[in-house]
């Protein structure tokens, strides 16, 4: 796989993850985490080499859960 194909697959995975997370009630019903925070988180995951769509989404939902929990602890 050449570099442009690898880049394209990363972009597709990120877009699909963002679309799925932003359409999910777990995101829509929470106000503690912004869309920008989720996008930055997913970009960081991709920069560390994560490419799997399910793991990207799971990571985003974990971030949602952790931030909501941290807000209630304060």
């Amino acid at each position: 796989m050449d570099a442009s194909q690898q880049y394209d697959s990363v972009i597709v995975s990120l877009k699909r993850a963002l679309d799925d997370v932003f359409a999910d009630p777990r995101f829509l019903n929470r106000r503690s985490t912004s869309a920008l925070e989720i996008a930055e988180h997913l970009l960081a995951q991709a920069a560390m080499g994560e490419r799997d769509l399910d793991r990207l989404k799971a990571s985003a939902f974990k971030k949602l859960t952790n931030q909501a929990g941290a807000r209630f602890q304060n």
Side-chain angles (χ1 to χ4, degrees):
M1 179 181 301
D2 70 26
S4 67
Q5 288 175 324
Q6 184 176 13
Y7 176 76
D8 290 345
S9 69
V10 172
I11 297 299
V12 169
S13 291
L14 285 171
K15 182 179 179 341
R16 288 186 61 198
L18 286 168
D19 289 346
D20 290 353
V21 170
F22 294 159
D24 192 282
R26 290 172 283 184
F27 174 76
L28 296 173
N29 294 333
R30 295 199 189 267
R31 299 292 181 227
S32 62
T33 307
S34 71
L36 177 60
E37 289 173 297
I38 294 298
E40 288 174 339
H41 175 77
L42 289 176
L43 284 170
Q45 294 297 304
M48 291 188 294
E50 185 58 69
R51 302 292 185 262
D52 182 78
L53 176 61
D54 291 329
R55 286 193 298 262
L56 286 168
K57 291 189 315 187
S59 177
F61 289 125
K62 183 176 179 181
K63 181 172 180 62
L64 284 171
T65 302
N66 288 344
Q67 284 196 340
R71 185 180 63 157
F72 290 120
Q73 290 176 1
N74 291 332

